[in-house]
Amino acid sequence: ILLFDEPTSALDSITSKKIFEMLKKEQINNGKTIILITHDIGKITYASKVAVINDGKLDEIGTPDELLNNNGLLKQMYSAQQNKTVEG
């Protein structure tokens, strides 16, 4: 099991993408379980499962697609982040 807490928080987007791609390859090629803690909602696309913790409690759990198709907290945060990116 590999545990990362905000592993790319101080990195530029190109380096961050490379690290997440490397982690995904490590998980696929070597069967590693990777637990990633992040506030960067855009990184959920690298996950096979997502757990959303809100106010210290498990709010949602599922695949990124499942959670983005529900109208839960993750979808709200993802939409807000996408709107912020578009608005600049």
Side-chain angles (χ1 to χ4, degrees):
I1 296 176
L2 303 173
L3 173 64
F4 297 94
D5 187 0
E6 300 284 356
T8 62
S9 63
L11 300 176
D12 63 86
S13 59
I14 293 170
T15 304
S16 176
K17 182 178 179 181
K18 287 179 183 178
I19 288 174
F20 276 97
E21 288 172 352
M22 184 260 325
L23 290 174
K24 186 68 173 179
K25 285 180 186 175
E26 180 70 17
Q27 188 270 325
I28 291 169
N29 295 336
N30 299 312
K32 298 284 186 186
T33 297
I34 299 173
I35 299 172
L36 176 67
I37 301 164
T38 187
H39 289 88
D40 186 350
I41 303 304
K43 300 299 185 231
I44 65 167
T45 58
Y46 291 97
S48 55
K49 289 272 187 176
V50 176
V52 179
I53 299 173
N54 186 30
D55 291 329
K57 297 178 184 167
L58 182 62
D59 191 69
E60 298 178 282
I61 191 166
T63 67
D65 286 341
E66 289 170 345
L67 298 184
L68 290 173
N69 287 321
N70 293 335
N71 197 24
L73 181 59
L74 182 73
K75 183 176 181 177
Q76 293 170 21
M77 292 187 299
Y78 186 82
S79 295
Q81 188 172 28
Q82 295 303 308
N83 289 338
K84 182 179 178 183
T85 302
V86 170
E87 293 171 2

